[in-house]
Amino acid sequence: MTPLLKVGIAGTGSYVPEKVMTNGDYAKFLDTSDEWIRERTGIRERRFAPDGMATSHMAENAAKKAMEAAKVAPEDIDLVICGTVTPDNMFPSTACHLQHRLGCVKAGAFDLSAACTGFIYSLSVGWNMVRTGSVRNVLVIGAEKLSTLLNMQDRTSCILFGDGAGAAVVRPSENASEILFSSLHSLGGTEDIMSLPAGGSAMPASHSSVDGKHHYLRIKGREVFKFAVTKMVEQVELCAEKCGVPVSKIATIIPHQVNLRILEYASEKLNFPLDRMMINIDRYGNTSAASVPIALDEAVRSGRVKRGDLVVMVAFGAGLTWGSVAVRY
Ligand code: UT7
C-alpha cells in the first residue's frame, strides 16, 4: 500500500463585501436594539454583498488570495471544493463557476453542503484526497451570501448572519505544516431546528412558497445554542486527545463564529483562555461556511497563527452537522 502523504495548508485568503450593516440599521425597521444584539450575540455589525455580487464572486476574491499566498498557480489546482448553502444557482455548481473564472483549467470541481460546517467538511475531504495521492493541489473554499436567505421581519434570525468567503490551498507539505486529524458528524431528522424549506425538489419555487416566506431560513436559536456549546467542547477535547496533548497545548482555536456567549461558555468549560480563540463575530456576524476560513485567514495574516502552531478549527450547523480539524499550521 502507498504510504499516506504529509499534507499541509500552504496558504489562506478571505474576502468580505464593503457594505456594513450595523445593529442600528436593524433598529430602524425592527423591534430590536444595538444593546440587545451586542449583549446576546457579541455582534456589532456584519457585511452584506450588493445585488449582482453572488457567492462565487466573493469566493473568487478569497481564492485568488489563497493561491497567491500558497504560491500555487490556478493551472496547477487539481480540485476545487466549495462549501456553501447559498450557491449561485442550483446547478451548475458554484465550484464550476470558480474553476472557469479562476482559470483552474485541469481541476475537478464540486460544491459541498454542510451548512456552517461546510469548510470543515471540505477541508477534511481535500486533505484526505491529497494524502492518498489522488490529487496534489486542492482549493478549499467556504463562501456564503446568507443575506439572500434572511426574513428581515424575523428579529430572532435576521440579525445573526452576514456574507463573505474564505479559502485555503491544501497540498503535500514541505515544511512543518501538517493536517493531523479531522472528525465529521451529522444528526439528520433535525430540520425543525434549522432549515430552508423551499427552493429544492421537496418544495419547488411557486407563488405559494414565496407568499408563505418558505424561501427564508428558519432557526430555533435556543436549541442551536445548547447543541453548539456541547459539540464545541467535545470536538476540541477530541482533537487534543487525538494529537496526544492536553487542551492547554492548543495554540489557537478557530471556532465557527456563532455567538460570543457560546464561545465564552466553551472557553470556561475547556479552561482555555478566550484570547486564544480567534473571534471576529463582532465585525462579521455568522457567515456560515465562510466563518472558519475567514477567521483562519485573519489569524494567519495578523501573525496570531504562525507556522508550527497547533490550531484546532471547529464548527456546527444545520443538518445537524458538526466537526473539527486539527492542524500543525
Ligand atoms: O450557526 C448556526 C445558526 N446560529 C444560531 O442558531 C445561533 C444560536 N443561537 C443564538 O445565538 C441565540 O439563541 C439567539 C441570539 C438567537 C437568541 O438569544 P437567546 O438568549 O437564546 O434569546 P431567546 O431566543 O431566548 O429570546 C429572549 C427574548 C425573547 O423575548 P421574550 O419571549 O422573552 O419576550 C425574544 O423574542 O429576546 C427576544 N428577542 C429579541 N429582542 C430584541 C429575540 N431576538 C431579538 C432581537 N432583538 N433581535
Side-chain angles (χ1 to χ4, degrees), residues 15-23 25-26 29-30 43 45-54 58 144-152 157-164 217 283-287:
Y15 173 82
V16 289
E18 275 176 27
K19 188 187 164 197
V20 174
M21 179 81 179
T22 66
N23 294 343
D25 291 333
Y26 283 96
F29 61 90
L30 262 187
I43 302 168
E45 58 188 41
R46 66 295 284 145
R47 304 296 178 95
F48 277 5
D51 290 347
M53 181 185 281
M58 292 183 275
E144 306 279 15
K145 188 175 179 182
L146 278 167
S147 56
T148 56
L149 306 185
L150 303 179
N151 176 352
M152 295 302 262
S157 64
C158 74
I159 52 108
L160 297 171
F161 299 97
D163 302 335
L217 66 79
R283 288 176 289 133
Y284 305 138
N286 177 348
T287 56

Side-chain angles (χ1 to χ4, degrees), residues 112-319:
L112 194 155
S113 170
C116 302
T117 324
F119 182 76
I120 297 289
Y121 266 66
S122 301
L123 185 57
S124 177
V125 171
W127 168 46
N128 280 292
M129 288 193 67
V130 178
R131 76 171 171 156
T132 53
S134 304
V135 290
R136 198 168 163 77
N137 298 312
V138 181
L139 183 55
V140 180
I141 299 163
E144 306 279 15
K145 188 175 179 182
L146 278 167
S147 56
T148 56
L149 306 185
L150 303 179
N151 176 352
M152 295 302 262
Q153 301 308 317
D154 177 9
R155 66 178 184 171
T156 63
S157 64
C158 74
I159 52 108
L160 297 171
F161 299 97
D163 302 335
V169 173
V170 172
R171 63 189 311 268
S173 175
E174 288 140 17
N175 52 30
S177 180
E178 183 174 12
I179 299 176
L180 301 166
F181 170 74
S182 84
S183 136
L184 306 179
H185 305 271
S186 67
L187 181 68
T190 49
E191 56 273 18
D192 59 318
I193 297 179
M194 273 191 282
S195 72
L196 179 73
S201 57
M203 194 190 289
S206 68
H207 286 293
S208 80
S209 72
V210 173
D211 292 345
K213 298 189 181 346
H214 301 306
H215 294 83
Y216 293 131
L217 66 79
R218 292 176 186 179
I219 59 165
K220 285 189 183 155
R222 229 182 261 183
E223 300 291 314
V224 180
F225 199 101
K226 283 182 259 167
F227 152 75
V229 166
T230 317
K231 294 307 173 194
M232 177 159 170
V233 171
E234 256 176 44
Q235 288 297 299
V236 171
E237 284 174 343
L238 180 66
C239 283
E241 185 197 321
K242 294 289 179 183
C243 294
V245 296
V247 168
S248 61
K249 289 286 178 199
I250 297 168
T252 306
I253 295 176
I254 313 270
H256 172 43
Q257 310 289 312
V258 56
N259 181 315
L260 183 59
R261 286 189 294 138
I262 292 176
L263 306 184
E264 286 170 345
Y265 187 85
S267 147
E268 204 179 301
K269 273 262 178 208
L270 289 162
N271 195 20
F272 188 89
L274 197 63
D275 63 8
R276 275 171 41 211
M277 286 190 194
M278 179 64 202
I279 298 174
N280 59 15
I281 190 171
D282 52 325
R283 288 176 289 133
Y284 305 138
N286 177 348
T287 56
S288 183
S291 109
V292 167
I294 292 174
L296 173 66
D297 183 52
E298 289 199 338
V300 168
R301 284 175 194 262
S302 65
R304 277 189 68 165
V305 164
K306 297 178 200 63
R307 286 291 174 203
D309 282 357
L310 180 60
V311 174
V312 166
M313 293 172 254
V314 55
F316 17 80

Side-chain angles (χ1 to χ4, degrees), residues 14-76:
S14 63
Y15 173 82
V16 289
E18 275 176 27
K19 188 187 164 197
V20 174
M21 179 81 179
T22 66
N23 294 343
D25 291 333
Y26 283 96
K28 289 175 196 158
F29 61 90
L30 262 187
D31 180 15
T32 189
S33 66
D34 175 47
E35 192 187 6
W36 191 96
I37 300 173
R38 265 190 296 112
E39 282 179 5
R40 296 292 180 116
T41 69
I43 302 168
R44 288 173 183 276
E45 58 188 41
R46 66 295 284 145
R47 304 296 178 95
F48 277 5
D51 290 347
M53 181 185 281
T55 294
S56 67
H57 298 114
M58 292 183 275
E60 187 179 344
N61 288 329
K64 280 181 181 160
K65 290 182 194 166
M67 288 190 290
E68 198 182 305
K71 298 185 176 62
V72 171
E75 53 273 23
D76 292 328

